[in-house]
Amino acid sequence: MSVLHINSSARLSGSNTRTLGQYLVEVLAQPVVSRDLALQPLPPISAEDLIDVHGSSESLRPSLQAQLLMSATLIDELKSADTLVLGNAMYNFGIPASLKQWVDSICRAGVSFKYTESGPVGLLGIKRAIIITASGGTAIGSEMDFSSRYLEHICRFLGITDVFHIDASGSKGSPEEVIANGKRQVDDLVQVFAANDTAGEK
C-alpha cells in the first residue's frame, strides 16, 4: 500500500489542510509520495499546449513535449498509489488554481480514463481518496461548496469509488478545536479502513 499526498494551500504554516494531511499520512503508516503545488507549482501552460495535451497532436514542439512529460509524471504518481490524499484549501468557493492545473494535467482520455459505451472508465487503479477541505465559512458539502464536491466528482470520474471527506473548516471553532476535530475524523476514518481491510482478507 502507498499514499500520494497532494498539498495545495497557499498558507505554508498554520494550514489546517497541511496539518491534518500530515497527521493522516502518519497514521496510515504507509510509504508516501508528496507533491506540494504551492511550493513547487506546475509550469505555466499556453493555450496551444493545453489544447494539444488533451488532443491527439503529434507535434514535437518543445513546450508541448515538456507539458506531456509533466502530465505523464503526475499520472504515474497516481497509478503507483493505492490511496490519494488531497489537501484542499477553499478559495472563493472553489479549489486553488494550482490544484485545478494539476487536475487538468491528470485528466487525459486514453491515459487516466477512457470512454466506453456505458460512460467514462478510470484507468488509475486507486483504491480510495481522502479529501481534506478547509474553508473560512462555507459549509463543506453545502450548495455553495464548489470545491470538495468538485474534487469528489473528479475522483469518481477517474474511477476512484471510495471517496471520503475530512472537514477542516475554520468556522468550527478555534484553530486548536478545528485541528482536534479533524484528527478525530481521521482516527475514525482509519478505523473504518482497518475494519474493511480485515473483512476483505477473510
Side-chain angles (χ1 to χ4, degrees), residues 127-128 190-202:
K127 183 177 181 180
R128 60 195 169 210
V190 172
Q191 288 185 359
V192 171
F193 293 162
N196 290 343
D197 290 345
T198 300
E201 294 173 357
K202 294 180 180 180

Side-chain angles (χ1 to χ4, degrees), residues 29-100:
Q30 297 167 356
V32 178
V33 172
S34 297
R35 180 171 287 276
D36 196 315
L37 300 174
L39 284 174
Q40 298 175 315
L42 300 181
I45 185 169
S46 68
E48 183 181 29
D49 286 343
L50 179 61
I51 294 299
D52 285 349
V53 163
H54 293 281
S56 55
S57 173
E58 297 181 357
S59 171
L60 298 178
R61 187 170 62 254
S63 61
L64 174 60
Q65 293 305 309
Q67 292 291 342
L68 288 171
L69 179 60
M70 173 58 71
S71 173
T73 298
L74 298 175
I75 292 172
D76 284 345
E77 288 178 351
L78 285 162
K79 288 183 175 180
S80 298
D82 301 292
T83 299
L84 172 63
V85 175
L86 288 172
N88 170 43
M90 186 187 299
Y91 298 133
N92 299 314
F93 310 105
I95 66 174
S98 61
L99 188 54
K100 179 59 167 65

Side-chain angles (χ1 to χ4, degrees), residues 90 92-94 133-147 167 169-172:
M90 186 187 299
N92 299 314
F93 310 105
T133 302
S135 74
T138 301
I140 306 303
S142 69
E143 291 186 357
M144 292 189 295
D145 173 10
F146 301 102
S147 183
D167 186 344
S169 298
S171 61
K172 292 188 174 295

